[in-house]
Amino acid sequence: MTEQLDILAFGAHPDDVELMAGGTIIKLARSGYRVGMISLTQGEMGTRGTPQQRAEEFAASADIMGLSMHKMLDIEDGFVEVNRENKLKVIAEIRQYQPALVFAPYWETRHPDHAQCSHLVRESVFLAGLKKIKTEHPHFRPQKVVYYCEHYLFKPSFIVDTSDTFEQRMRAIKAYKSQV
């Protein structure tokens, strides 16, 4: 059974989506879209906070953002790789939730996990549409991948005015008490 979402946002770590695309994600959820968020890792290599704290903060942040679902995968923090095992994990999530739109970090970034997340999600979106890859759910390919910016400058193809989401986004970020 699929649990269809309209939009699924991926980040390498808990708090990545909120920090870099939180305003847009909140705006979409407020507009009535079913939006989900997945962290590839549990943030266990972070300087501050435990995996349990990070999971609680992630859940609180998702609730503040008004998301329909949130999930943390078990890819090792600090060692995100584009490999068969990780592709199958991301493919399974894409097929389960069948989003029309997927968000991923832009691939040019200083953090290796963020760059690998970008490549992993992009490749998995394509592979999720292949019938011969067998998972619990049938093949499905999202219509579009949208890349959100991080700290490096890049030329965006569009900009979303999220000024009306600022306070809610700040509450979502502040839910990460161990981090901010």
Side-chain angles (χ1 to χ4, degrees):
M1 182 172 148
T2 60
E3 305 164 47
Q4 191 162 3
L5 296 172
D6 300 302
I7 296 131
L8 184 55
F10 286 90
H13 310 101
D15 76 15
D16 287 351
V17 171
E18 296 91 320
L19 287 168
M20 305 305 170
T24 301
I25 297 301
I26 290 167
K27 190 171 199 113
L28 290 164
R30 278 187 188 174
S31 296
Y33 292 101
R34 290 186 40 82
V35 182
M37 176 171 65
I38 294 178
S39 175
L40 298 181
T41 74
Q42 297 175 25
E44 67 272 15
M45 293 296 286
T47 304
R48 296 174 301 278
T50 65
Q52 179 61 33
Q53 286 173 305
R54 301 294 302 271
E56 291 168 4
E57 294 165 348
F58 185 67
S61 181
D63 187 51
I64 291 166
M65 293 172 71
L67 302 185
S68 299
M69 67 73 64
H70 65 281
K71 184 184 285 188
M72 297 170 88
L73 301 184
D74 62 353
I75 297 173
E76 187 178 2
D77 189 7
F79 300 93
V80 174
E81 295 179 348
V82 180
N83 60 33
R84 184 179 194 283
E85 178 184 1
N86 291 342
K87 286 179 187 179
L88 288 171
K89 289 177 184 180
V90 175
I91 289 167
E93 300 301 327
I94 291 167
R95 287 178 172 184
Q96 179 177 354
Y97 295 105
Q98 298 184 352
L101 189 62
V102 168
F103 277 72
Y106 187 66
W107 56 90
E108 288 185 22
T109 178
R110 75 179 179 86
H111 197 308
D113 279 355
H114 296 189
Q116 293 299 325
C117 176
S118 181
H119 298 302
L120 177 58
V121 170
R122 180 182 54 83
E123 291 183 27
S124 298
V125 163
F126 177 80
L127 295 171
L130 300 180
K131 293 178 185 179
K132 291 185 178 180
I133 295 175
K134 301 298 181 198
T135 63
E136 184 179 337
H137 300 284
H139 70 284
F140 173 84
R141 184 173 295 137
Q143 295 173 14
K144 189 92 170 150
V145 178
V146 173
Y147 297 99
Y148 55 85
C149 69
E150 295 204 16
H151 303 291
Y152 291 151
L153 294 177
F154 78 109
K155 186 175 180 171
S157 57
F158 66 92
I159 297 172
V160 177
D161 178 1
T162 61
S163 50
D164 63 331
T165 68
F166 180 77
E167 294 202 17
Q168 187 176 357
R169 179 174 171 250
M170 291 309 295
R171 284 194 317 274
I173 291 169
K174 289 178 181 177
Y176 290 94
K177 291 177 177 34
S178 70
Q179 305 301 303
V180 294

